């Protein structure tokens, strides 16, 4: 197990490095420097600015110092637009909010998706199954940017039960709509995956044996069928988690929750490349780390995987 | 007596015809597909939506970018959907005909989906087939590259590209193309690995056919089924990606529009009561997605040997 984790880490580290180098080169390939204003700066001022931010050095030195800054101090450098703020501050402000509703949405999507899938599978071809399948098919075409306006329309404008936006330090009523908007389509996918793998497991030999020795049905499901049928679900957790972070862009825009997505869209509109890169890299790190965790979980739950 | 002789002759002829008309795997697949009601319904919906997207503007009262200034001030009351004024879907918040705009937006979304899927088919199939067929270290390196690219948060990178190099349709295509072929390459490689040790490949190798020719002539045709399935399922995914970006206002440039952009505009304005501006694009988005999902699922059931 330990050597497997080490092996996975050895793969993850070059991925991170490639990501950093790529994003640095991309930032440099962009037309216009950070100090290209409509009004031209005097050359001395420009030279001083370039010296302060280290832009007068050769490209490879800049790259090494950018990458090293991230590795050694987790420092993404200064913002190009807000002169008194650096990227770390901007991320530190928005990230806890995103993590707050993102992780709730993740848990909601996984738990309700698995529940829906299991119920549909053990009641296959009954009306319960049809309703569950109907829900999951319907929810599949309801991505976050479709759910968000519908939810606001119904629950905020028509019924007036919940606020249409704002964060208020994560008060429950402000969290509900963002969570539903993020979770719906992923709940649907997880339910579909769970249902089909559960159906496969329920016809397998070890479940038949468990039934034959007289175990009550709920024990067969919980103790013998659930674990193997979750294996395909686990491989879906990585993308689902990333989607929660990506969906933050829509949620922050639509519900004004002020998470990391807002920072990203703001920096996109301001052409603040440093902030955009920082957030892209952060999400990349999280993706890689989460995939690593999922792989480890996978190896632990599925004895067929050799490591 | 004479009559029955003719009958018998006809019967014999029919039997012979049946024998000659062998059923290819593709015929089998088509029959299975046609039996799947959801898939056929999806296909039907898809034809209707495409007809609307490509020819709908001909039946609109004005073009998608014509602003009706006489009514743009009070869209809530003067711009309601009505058959009498010819604005079947009403006006948008700036006084443009929503029917024409929805048709145009649906067209862009469908084109983006198809282009993304085509890139993934061409690049992904070749990359995956080469990787799987060559094998060894080349395969390892090629697949490691895919792994690395898959770990990049692509939604953010596409937005980054659009911001850095200017918003344009071609940049959007490039960004979506960069992302779309990765999973296809993986799937194709897996299939190629199972194909490459079969007798007909060995026969081709023994006859001295060059590697690349083997890939094009013997491996790729045998991958077509699975490629078709995943390409169909990729189209809605690409439409989703584009709509997501357009929803953020970073996609196609105004006055051009796409479904995501229309939904975003509708969502912004629904507080003022112009609810049709959200509902029509939303309905078209959902119907298009549904149709593609159903057709994709139907194709998978028809072509995937695993589920037979």
């Amino acid at each position: 197990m330990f050597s497997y984790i080490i092996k996975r880490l050895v793969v993850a580290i070059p991925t991170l490095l490639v990501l950093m180098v790529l994003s640095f080169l991309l930032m440099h390939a962009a037309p216009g420097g950070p100090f290209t204003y409509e009004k031209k700066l005097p050359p001395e001022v420009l030279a001083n600015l370039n010296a302060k931010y280290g832009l007068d050095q050769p490209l490879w030195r800049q790259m090494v110092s950018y990458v090293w800054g991230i590795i050694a101090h987790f420092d993404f450098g200064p913002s190009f637009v807000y002169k008194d703020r650096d990227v770390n501050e901007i991320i530190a402000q928005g990230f806890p909010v995103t993590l707050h509703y993102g992780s709730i949405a993740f848990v909601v999507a996984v738990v309700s998706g698995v529940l829906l899938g299991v119920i549909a599978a053990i009641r296959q071809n009954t009306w319960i199954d049809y309703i569950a399948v109907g829900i999951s098919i319907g929810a599949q075409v309801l991505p976050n940017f479709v759910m968000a306006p519908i939810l606001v329309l119904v629950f905020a404008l028509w019924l007036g039960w919940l606020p249409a936006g704002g964060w208020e330090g994560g008060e429950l009523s402000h969290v509900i709509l963002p969570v539903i908007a993020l979770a719906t389509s992923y709940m649907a996918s997880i339910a579909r995956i769970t249902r089909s793998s559960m159906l496969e497991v329920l016809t397998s030999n070890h479940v038949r044996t468990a039934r034959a020795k007289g175990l009550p049905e709920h024990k067969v499901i919980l103790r013998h069928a659930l674990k193997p049928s979750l294996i395909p679900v686990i491989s879906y957790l990585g993308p689902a988690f990333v989607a929660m972070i990506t969906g933050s862009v829509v949620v922050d825009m639509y519900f004004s929750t002020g998470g990391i997505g807002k920072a990203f869209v703001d920096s996109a509109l301001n052409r603040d490349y440093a902030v955009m890169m920082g957030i892209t890299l952060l999400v990349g790190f999280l993706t890689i780390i989460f995939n690593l965790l999922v792989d480890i979980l996978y190896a632990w739950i599925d004895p067929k995987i050799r490591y | 007596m004479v009559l029955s002789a003719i009958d018998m002759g006809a019967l014999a002829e029919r039997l012979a015809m049946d024998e000659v008309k062998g059923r290819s795997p593709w015929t089998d697949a088509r029959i299975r597909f046609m039996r799947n009601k959801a898939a056929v319904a999806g296909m039907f919906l898809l034809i209707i939506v495409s007809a609307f997207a490509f020819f709908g503007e001909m039946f609109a009262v004005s073009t998608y970018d014509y602003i009706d200034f006489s009514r743009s001030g009070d869209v809530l009351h003067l711009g309601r959907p009505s058959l009498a004024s010819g604005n079947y879907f009403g006006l948008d918040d700036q006084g443009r005909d929503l029917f024409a705009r929805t048709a145009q937006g649906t067209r862009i979304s469908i084109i983006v989906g198809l282009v993304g899927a085509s890139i993934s088919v061409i690049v992904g199939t070749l990359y995956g087939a080469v990787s799987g067929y060559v094998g060894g270290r080349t395969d390892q390196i090629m697949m490691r590259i895919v792994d690395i690219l898959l770990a990049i948060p692509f939604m953010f990178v596409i937005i980054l590209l659009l911001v850095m190099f200017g918003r344009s349709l071609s940049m959007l295509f490039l960004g979506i193309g960069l992302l779309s072929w990765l999973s296809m390459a993986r799937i194709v490689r897996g299939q190629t690995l199972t194909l490459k040790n079969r007798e007909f490949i060995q026969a081709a190798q023994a006859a001295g056919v060059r590697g690349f020719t083997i890939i094009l002539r013997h491996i790729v045709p045998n991958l077509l089924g699975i490629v078709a399935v995943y390409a169909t399922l990729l189209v809605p995914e690409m439409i989703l990606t584009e709509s997501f970006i357009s929803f953020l206002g970073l996609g196609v440039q105004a006055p051009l529009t796409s479904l995501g952009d229309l939904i975003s505009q509708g969502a912004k304005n629904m507080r003022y009561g112009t609810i049709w501006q959200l509902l029509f694009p939303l309905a078209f988005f959902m119907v298009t997605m549904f149709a593609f999902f159903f057709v994709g699922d139907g194709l998978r059931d028809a072509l995937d040997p695993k589920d037979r």
Side-chain angles (χ1 to χ4, degrees):
Chain A
M1 188 72 181
F2 185 71
S3 66
Y4 175 76
I5 296 174
I6 297 291
K7 223 160 97 186
R8 295 294 316 176
L9 269 175
V10 168
V11 178
I13 287 167
T15 312
L16 284 173
L17 277 176
V18 169
L19 190 57
M20 283 189 275
V21 170
L22 269 184
S23 51
F24 176 82
L25 292 178
L26 201 62
M27 184 152 64
H28 254 268
F35 308 117
T36 332
Y37 299 116
E38 276 174 38
K39 214 175 90 184
K40 273 241 170 82
L41 290 172
E44 310 86 66
V45 176
L46 196 61
N48 276 337
L49 275 172
N50 278 342
K52 173 167 189 292
Y53 288 106
L55 297 177
D56 53 346
Q57 287 173 4
L59 192 63
W60 67 271
R61 288 279 308 263
Q62 289 183 39
M63 184 161 84
V64 167
S65 75
Y66 180 74
V67 172
W68 182 246
I70 296 171
I71 296 173
H73 330 102
F74 218 69
D75 176 12
F76 291 104
S79 158
F80 285 171
V81 172
Y82 304 104
K83 292 289 175 303
D84 54 337
R85 301 180 73 190
D86 56 24
V87 180
N88 287 25
E89 272 176 56
I90 293 172
I91 289 177
Q93 197 181 24
F95 191 59
V97 176
T98 299
L99 208 59
H100 185 146
Y101 62 68
S103 48
I104 296 178
F106 182 70
V107 172
V108 168
V110 173
V111 171
S112 59
V114 167
L115 216 62
L116 203 63
V118 168
I119 291 171
I122 55 184
R123 294 272 177 270
Q124 194 196 3
N125 293 335
T126 63
W127 60 272
I128 300 177
D129 181 28
Y130 295 141
I131 290 177
V133 170
I135 291 174
S136 64
I137 289 177
Q140 214 180 3
V141 295
L142 294 171
N144 45 32
F145 62 88
V146 171
M147 273 310 273
I150 293 177
L151 287 173
V152 169
L153 187 68
V154 174
F155 291 103
L157 290 184
W158 288 350
L159 297 174
W161 289 351
L162 292 165
W167 183 239
E168 310 292 330
E171 200 192 304
L172 186 66
S173 64
H174 290 265
V175 179
I176 294 174
L177 291 186
V179 163
I180 299 176
L182 276 178
T184 305
S185 66
Y186 290 91
M187 176 207 76
S189 308
I190 292 173
R192 281 169 63 116
I193 296 169
T194 311
R195 178 176 178 273
S196 63
S197 83
M198 190 74 167
L199 284 178
E200 217 174 297
V201 171
L202 282 178
T203 58
S204 66
N205 291 335
H206 79 275
V207 170
R208 198 179 54 194
T209 309
R211 279 179 181 151
K213 73 180 183 186
L215 275 186
E217 189 64 17
H218 68 271
K219 273 196 181 151
V220 174
I221 303 286
L222 289 180
R223 206 175 288 168
H224 295 280
L226 191 59
K227 199 170 144 184
S229 65
L230 285 183
I231 289 169
V233 178
I234 287 171
S235 61
Y236 189 71
L237 293 183
F241 174 76
V242 176
M244 296 300 145
I245 305 283
T246 315
S248 156
V249 179
V250 163
V251 165
D252 287 338
M253 274 241 326
Y254 209 75
F255 296 103
S256 341
T257 34
I260 205 171
K262 182 188 178 334
F264 188 75
V265 174
D266 283 351
S267 61
L269 297 174
N270 288 330
R271 300 179 148 260
D272 195 344
Y273 299 150
V275 176
M276 292 183 80
M277 303 284 20
I279 294 174
T280 308
L281 281 179
L282 181 75
V283 178
F285 289 166
L286 287 176
T287 312
I288 291 164
I289 291 168
F290 207 82
N291 281 340
L292 189 67
L293 287 178
V294 164
D295 278 348
I296 293 169
L297 192 65
Y298 211 85
W300 176 68
I301 206 167
D302 185 359
K304 268 187 286 185
I305 291 180
R306 275 169 293 143
Y307 43 83
Chain B
M1 192 64 189
V2 178
L3 204 76
S4 74
I6 294 171
D7 266 0
M8 290 311 281
L11 188 65
E13 218 167 86
R14 247 197 346 260
L15 281 175
M17 283 245 301
D18 274 351
E19 236 170 277
V20 173
K21 236 168 65 184
R23 277 158 63 186
S24 75
W26 288 98
T27 323
D28 274 353
R30 198 173 63 233
I31 291 167
R32 268 195 299 275
F33 184 85
M34 285 307 183
R35 274 196 206 130
N36 187 337
K37 287 196 191 90
V40 173
M43 193 73 136
F44 190 63
L45 278 178
L46 216 53
I47 292 170
I48 294 178
V49 169
S50 315
F52 168 75
F54 287 93
F55 305 111
E57 274 183 280
M58 289 178 197
F59 303 100
V61 280
S62 54
T63 55
Y64 70 92
D65 53 355
Y66 171 75
I67 299 177
D68 185 352
F69 285 106
S70 66
R71 289 189 290 166
S72 64
D74 190 13
V75 171
L76 180 56
H77 296 108
L78 299 175
R80 287 184 172 281
S82 84
L83 289 175
S85 66
N87 300 117
Y88 310 118
F89 293 179
L91 295 180
D92 74 352
D93 56 307
Q94 295 185 33
R96 294 174 291 201
D97 180 39
L98 199 61
F99 183 81
R101 286 183 73 69
T102 309
Q104 191 268 320
T106 310
R107 189 168 66 234
I108 293 265
S109 289
I110 289 180
I111 290 174
V112 168
L114 292 179
V115 169
S118 322
I119 295 176
S120 101
V121 167
I122 297 165
V123 180
T125 307
L126 278 182
Y127 193 96
V130 168
S131 175
Y133 182 76
V134 175
R137 183 151 300 176
T138 321
D139 180 36
Q140 291 249 318
I141 293 171
M142 286 176 84
M143 279 302 120
R144 186 62 62 227
I145 292 173
V146 170
D147 284 348
I148 288 175
L149 288 176
L150 272 174
I152 295 175
F154 257 100
M155 194 66 81
F156 289 79
V157 173
I158 293 176
I159 295 174
L160 207 67
L161 285 173
L162 285 169
V163 169
M164 283 178 172
F165 300 103
R167 284 160 54 189
S168 66
L169 222 60
S170 48
M171 204 64 218
L172 198 64
F173 284 145
L174 181 74
I176 287 179
L178 279 177
L179 144 109
S180 64
W181 62 274
L182 297 167
S183 49
M184 181 69 90
R186 270 192 167 176
I187 292 160
V188 166
R189 171 187 170 265
Q191 278 308 100
T192 309
L193 286 182
T194 65
L195 275 177
K196 78 170 183 187
N197 292 324
R198 300 268 285 274
E199 286 88 348
F200 67 97
I201 303 290
Q202 283 170 349
Q205 282 164 343
V209 183
R210 283 196 344 208
F212 197 68
T213 318
I214 292 183
I215 290 176
L216 282 187
R217 205 171 289 163
H218 300 289
I219 289 183
V220 171
N222 283 295
L223 294 170
L224 278 184
I226 199 153
V227 168
V229 170
Y230 279 93
T232 322
L233 290 172
L234 259 176
V235 175
E237 219 170 288
M238 295 298 120
I239 292 178
L240 206 69
T241 309
E242 187 276 330
S243 300
F244 185 91
I245 294 167
S246 290
F247 183 85
L248 301 174
L250 296 164
V252 290
Q253 292 267 29
L256 271 183
T257 188
S258 77
L259 283 178
D261 181 49
L262 286 169
I263 292 173
S264 157
Q265 298 299 327
K268 264 180 212 150
N269 290 299
M270 69 184 184
R271 287 155 219 266
Y272 310 119
T274 56
I275 186 103
W276 57 85
Q277 211 188 327
L278 175 67
L279 293 186
F280 284 110
L282 205 60
F284 271 93
F285 175 81
M286 287 167 65
V287 167
T288 312
M289 299 290 282
F290 259 133
F292 273 113
F293 277 134
F294 281 147
V295 171
D297 275 352
L299 275 181
R300 180 166 52 198
D301 291 347
L303 290 169
D304 196 347
K306 201 180 125 195
D307 287 346
R308 244 167 242 174

